[in-house]
């Protein structure tokens, strides 16, 4: 597959280069030059494991990773459960949080780290992966990349603005994982990373890549969730499926749209956000106006300028009507989020995390009669215990453990960052 940039349609690279570069030219995102079609037998066999996953991924990866190796990578990537738990009459939660860091980002991070490790084994030049995080991304990336040869990871997180549990996940690994605690906000971390990517002097000294969902190697494997869930439901004779996706940077939702474009049947998608409603406003008005993010209980979705938006525009050829035809959208307040968590818990005993709760309201609002609704359970409630306790006071905070912490504190300025990066 040839990928091009959303900002420069003259760029043409294969999967390998797209994954190693992260960001495309002119700060665009890599998108495929056409949408391949899946052989429908894959969807009919009733089985969806690493071999089927490899056939899906190969549509975009081509010869850059041999099928046997790709299957092996996917076998390791998907080495935990993806239970589909019924939480309402025709509503399910696809629990994507049974990986090592308890959030759905494990799949993308595990896949990407193994892919980069494979590419790096063929070249001696070390790759430096830079990533800004509000919590979950850093944890998943740290875990996925630990001890991968040829790759050094640099994680920037805002001081005091990630949960203690998340901070431990990023700072207790050591080895090739470097964590920087920035005196600033998530947006500041993001802006330091962006400055690094546009610093040509730095790029001559080190080969940089990004592990955010702008990277095709992290973004594309997220398609597999939808295949796994649809396969499980098909085996129960449930076929008309609507997915509600708790969304921040819209990597997860866009991957669902890609799965659908490949040929996976999906009735409808629901973009469920918190008060950071840039995309929801776009659905209403047709204009895209990014704005600063605001802090909410579902903080992994506190994004005011969703980075994958341009991939959605690309997929639908900028056709606002077509986008509205496939995606409904809802913005949910913190107050409503707690109400839903409380209501689900009272009715069924199920504890849903705040991101999942946002998605659940999306289903209640837009799921059509006769359809089966699936909300993507993006994080374990354990990661957000302080929010859960507002609804279920007896919910216990997990023990953070007492491992050695490796982190470097830096000021919110590019010079300080560059200094530690080059040291
Ligand atoms: C990252 C994250 C999201 C948002 O995912 P996007 O792909 O950025 O839209 C939602 N929920 C949780 C728990 C997350 O960690």
């Amino acid at each position: 597959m040839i990928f091009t940039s959303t900002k420069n349609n003259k760029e043409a690279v294969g999967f390998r280069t797209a994954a190693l570069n992260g960001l495309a030219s002119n700060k665009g995102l890599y998108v495929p030059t056409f949408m391949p079609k899946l052989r429908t037998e894959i969807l009919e066999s009733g089985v969806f494991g690493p071999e089927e996953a490899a056939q899906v991924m190969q549509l975009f990866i081509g010869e850059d990773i041999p099928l046997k190796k790709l299957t092996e990578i996917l076998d390791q990537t998907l080495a935990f459960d993806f239970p589909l738990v019924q939480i309402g009459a025709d509503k399910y939660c696809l629990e994507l949080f049974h990986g090592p860091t308890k959030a759905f980002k494990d799949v993308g991070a595990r896949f990407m780290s193994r892919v980069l490790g494979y590419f790096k084994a063929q070249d001696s030049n070390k790759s430096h992966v830079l990533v800004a995080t509000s919590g979950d991304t850093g944890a998943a990336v740290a875990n996925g990349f630990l001890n991968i040869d040829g790759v050094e990871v640099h994680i920037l997180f805002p001081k005091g603005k990630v949960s203690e549990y998340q901070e431990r996940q990023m700072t207790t690994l050591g080895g090739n994982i470097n964590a920087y605690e920035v005196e600033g906000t998530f947006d500041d971390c993001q802006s330091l990373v962006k400055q690094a990517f546009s610093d040509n002097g730095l790029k001559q000294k080190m080969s940089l890549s990004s592990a955010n969902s702008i990277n095709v190697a992290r973004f594309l494997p997220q398609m597999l969730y939808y295949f796994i869930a649809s396969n499980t439901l098909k085996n129960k004779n449930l076929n008309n499926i609507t997915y509600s996706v708790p969304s921040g940077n819209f990597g997860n939702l866009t991957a669902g749209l890609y799965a659908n474009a490949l040929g996976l049947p999906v009735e409808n998608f629901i973009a469920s956000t918190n008060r950071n409603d840039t995309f929801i406003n776009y659905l209403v008005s047709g204009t895209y106006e990014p704005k600063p993010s605001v802090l909410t209980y579902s903080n992994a979705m506190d994004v005011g300028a969703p980075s994958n938006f341009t991939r959605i525009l690309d997929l639908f050829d900028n056709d606002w009507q077509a986008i509205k035809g496939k995606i409904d959208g809802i913005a949910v307040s913190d107050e409503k989020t707690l109400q839903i968590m409380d209501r689900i818990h009272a009715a069924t005993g199920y504890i849903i995390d705040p991101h999942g709760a946002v998605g659940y309201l999306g289903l209640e609002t837009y799921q059509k009669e006769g359809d089966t609704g699936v909300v993507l359970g993006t994080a374990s409630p354990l990661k957000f215990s302080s929010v859960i306790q507002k609804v279920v006071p007896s919910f216990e905070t997990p023990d953070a453990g007492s491992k050695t912490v490796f982190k470097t504190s830096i000021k919110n300025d590019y010079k300080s960052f560059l200094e530690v990066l080059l040291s």
Side-chain angles (χ1 to χ4, degrees):
M1 171 63 70
I2 304 293
F3 291 84
T4 188
S5 166
T6 50
K7 296 268 182 67
N8 169 13
N9 60 17
K10 293 208 175 61
E11 188 175 357
V13 302
F15 175 82
R16 183 180 193 278
T17 305
L20 289 170
N21 286 353
L23 206 61
S25 55
N26 300 353
K27 298 188 187 156
L29 265 59
Y30 284 113
V31 285
T33 42
F34 68 96
M35 198 45 78
K37 283 281 172 268
L38 196 63
R39 289 187 306 112
T40 48
E41 295 94 274
I42 296 186
L43 306 171
E44 279 149 22
S45 69
V47 179
F48 196 87
E51 273 154 33
E52 291 73 23
Q55 290 185 48
V56 172
M57 293 303 293
Q58 207 192 24
L59 296 171
F60 293 98
I61 296 174
E63 307 284 293
D64 286 3
I65 305 175
L67 188 59
K68 187 159 170 280
K69 180 70 195 174
L70 185 58
T71 309
E72 185 188 310
I73 289 175
L74 284 159
D75 190 37
Q76 295 165 357
T77 301
L78 302 171
F80 40 85
D81 289 337
F82 298 88
L84 197 57
V85 180
Q86 188 158 15
I87 54 175
D90 44 14
K91 294 184 176 49
Y92 293 79
C93 179
L94 177 66
E95 294 188 347
L96 298 174
F97 50 76
H98 295 276
T101 73
K102 299 188 169 54
F104 82 94
K105 294 186 172 73
D106 277 327
V107 166
R110 285 161 72 86
F111 183 78
M112 183 186 164
S113 60
R114 284 166 176 81
V115 162
L116 250 54
Y118 173 74
F119 290 150
K120 280 292 143 186
Q122 305 157 341
D123 102 36
S124 57
N125 193 2
K126 197 171 223 178
S127 240
H128 291 264
V129 168
L130 304 187
V131 62
T133 182
S134 57
D136 282 347
T137 297
V141 167
N143 189 285
F145 280 83
L146 181 65
N147 297 332
I148 299 276
D149 283 340
V151 184
E152 195 77 20
V153 175
H154 307 272
I155 301 167
L156 288 81
F157 67 93
K159 182 176 180 177
K161 293 189 181 68
V162 302
S163 77
E164 190 186 340
Y165 188 82
Q166 289 170 325
E167 184 167 335
R168 294 241 149 214
Q169 288 182 318
M170 294 184 264
T171 59
T172 54
L173 297 173
N176 61 331
I177 309 300
N178 307 279
Y180 308 114
E181 173 184 75
V182 178
E183 285 180 22
T185 62
F186 167 69
D187 290 337
D188 296 328
C189 296
Q190 183 81 42
S191 131
L192 290 174
V193 168
K194 283 194 181 147
Q195 278 184 67
F197 274 106
S198 49
D199 180 343
N200 288 325
L202 177 66
K203 281 199 283 191
Q204 274 170 10
K205 290 191 194 113
M206 14 166 81
S207 128
L208 301 182
S209 190
S210 157
N212 288 99
S213 59
I214 55 171
N215 194 308
V216 288
R218 214 193 104 189
F219 160 67
L220 290 170
Q222 301 184 144
M223 294 185 298
L224 302 173
Y225 309 142
Y226 301 87
F227 284 96
I228 292 170
S230 288
N231 183 64
T232 309
L233 289 169
K234 192 169 192 299
N235 289 337
K236 298 181 200 252
N237 279 323
L238 297 168
N239 291 306
N240 299 331
I241 304 168
T242 288
Y243 284 101
S244 175
V245 190
S247 294
N249 270 316
F250 282 73
N252 212 355
L253 181 91
T254 309
L257 296 169
Y258 272 46
N260 184 220
L262 293 181
L264 181 76
V266 176
E267 286 303 306
N268 207 12
F269 288 93
I270 304 165
S272 299
T273 73
N274 55 32
R275 278 204 300 125
N276 294 283
D277 55 3
T278 303
F279 184 78
I280 313 308
N281 293 339
Y282 166 78
L283 288 179
V284 174
S285 69
T287 41
Y288 176 72
E289 288 175 51
K291 50 188 183 182
S293 58
V294 293
L295 211 64
T296 73
Y297 289 153
S298 46
N299 65 16
M301 310 198 292
D302 294 350
V303 179
S307 53
N308 284 287
F309 179 69
T310 52
R311 281 199 172 117
I312 299 181
L313 287 183
D314 169 77
L315 185 62
F316 287 91
D317 285 330
N318 291 302
D319 183 342
W320 172 54
Q321 292 291 351
I323 293 173
K324 286 208 303 180
K326 195 72 208 179
I327 313 172
D328 287 311
I330 188 168
V332 181
S333 68
D334 274 351
E335 195 191 353
K336 259 267 155 25
T337 304
L338 291 186
Q339 278 172 17
I340 291 156
M341 290 162 64
D342 193 24
R343 186 148 54 76
I344 296 176
H345 181 246
T348 67
Y350 188 80
I351 296 179
I352 196 160
D353 96 288
H355 306 77
V358 164
Y360 192 84
L361 188 65
L363 284 183
E364 283 194 331
T365 312
Y366 287 110
Q367 183 181 336
K368 292 189 188 70
E369 181 89 33
D371 283 4
T372 299
V374 177
V375 54
L376 269 52
T378 48
S380 161
L382 285 172
K383 293 195 88 166
F384 298 93
S385 53
S386 63
V387 183
I388 309 289
Q389 282 159 357
K390 293 180 196 297
V391 176
V392 187
S394 63
F395 191 78
E396 281 186 36
T397 305
D399 184 10
S402 60
K403 289 187 224 136
T404 315
V405 169
F406 304 92
K407 67 176 173 188
T408 309
S409 297
I410 59 171
K411 291 204 204 77
N412 174 26
D413 74 25
Y414 186 59
K415 267 211 186 100
S416 316
F417 177 44
L418 211 54
E419 231 162 68
V420 291
L421 197 58
L422 291 170
S423 68

